[in-house]
Amino acid sequence: MARWIGIDYGKRRVGIAVTDPLGLISSPHKTLTPNEVIPFLQDYLTHELVEGIVLGMPRTLENEEGPIAHLVKQFTRMLHRYFPTMPLYHHDERFTTKLAQVALREAGLKKKKRKDKDLLNAVSASFILRSFLELHARDKSQPVTPLF
């Protein structure tokens, strides 16, 4: 088996999450600026076997694309140019920031640490990845089709 990478894309910060080598457990990894993501992935992919990359797709409560969905799509196309053989997936990221905030509070982190946006983005990426993996592990009748 191989690892999976989860990405919570934002204009200023990009949260990165990774799974264990068996692709089962999602953990926050780090937060980067958008310009740091490609060099990070180039390095990471030379050292780790990765099955796919899951990008959070912002959606509204009405299930329409969120305000930065076009940036996520643009970023996805750029990833495809750099990594043409890597399967890329979009996954609904609704409520992941809220879930990350609750998880940090329940973990007992002080308010100052919970407001750390870098930590929040990495934890949000972990929730996106975990949700994607749970959905597709549970429903084998729905094949996971990469974007490219």
Side-chain angles (χ1 to χ4, degrees):
M1 294 217 49
R3 293 181 188 270
W4 285 83
I5 296 175
I7 295 179
D8 181 20
Y9 185 82
K11 292 178 185 177
R12 293 188 188 112
R13 290 176 200 81
V14 180
I16 306 289
V18 297
T19 64
D20 63 295
L22 296 177
L24 300 173
I25 301 169
S26 172
S27 301
H29 187 66
K30 61 173 42 188
T31 299
L32 304 166
T33 66
N35 293 336
E36 295 172 321
V37 177
I38 297 299
F40 164 77
L41 289 173
Q42 288 171 325
D43 180 60
Y44 192 84
L45 295 172
T46 62
H47 297 98
E48 298 290 343
L49 182 60
V50 174
E51 191 164 330
I53 299 174
V54 179
L55 295 101
M57 178 54 73
R59 303 202 67 82
T60 67
L61 291 176
E62 292 79 30
N63 201 27
E64 296 170 354
E65 290 185 350
I68 70 160
H70 69 284
L71 295 176
V72 173
K73 289 179 179 180
Q74 189 176 38
F75 182 70
T76 304
R77 286 190 295 276
M78 183 175 68
L79 285 178
H80 180 64
R81 282 195 308 275
Y82 277 91
F83 312 104
T85 61
M86 178 61 59
L88 303 172
Y89 307 87
H90 285 158
H91 187 70
D92 188 345
E93 70 170 27
R94 279 180 283 190
F95 307 113
T96 55
T97 300
K98 191 66 169 165
L99 289 169
Q101 290 169 333
V102 169
L104 294 174
R105 185 174 56 246
E106 289 178 354
L109 271 68
K110 300 224 182 274
K111 191 172 188 175
K112 183 177 180 181
K113 188 67 175 166
R114 290 193 316 255
K115 290 194 179 271
D116 178 349
K117 293 191 182 218
D118 286 345
L119 177 60
L120 190 61
N121 282 94
V123 173
S124 292
S126 181
F127 273 99
I128 292 165
L129 183 54
R130 184 171 80 182
S131 173
F132 175 85
L133 294 171
E134 286 175 353
L135 177 68
H136 295 291
R138 188 173 53 237
D139 191 358
K140 295 288 186 189
S141 67
Q142 291 291 326
V144 181
T145 306
L147 298 168
F148 295 97

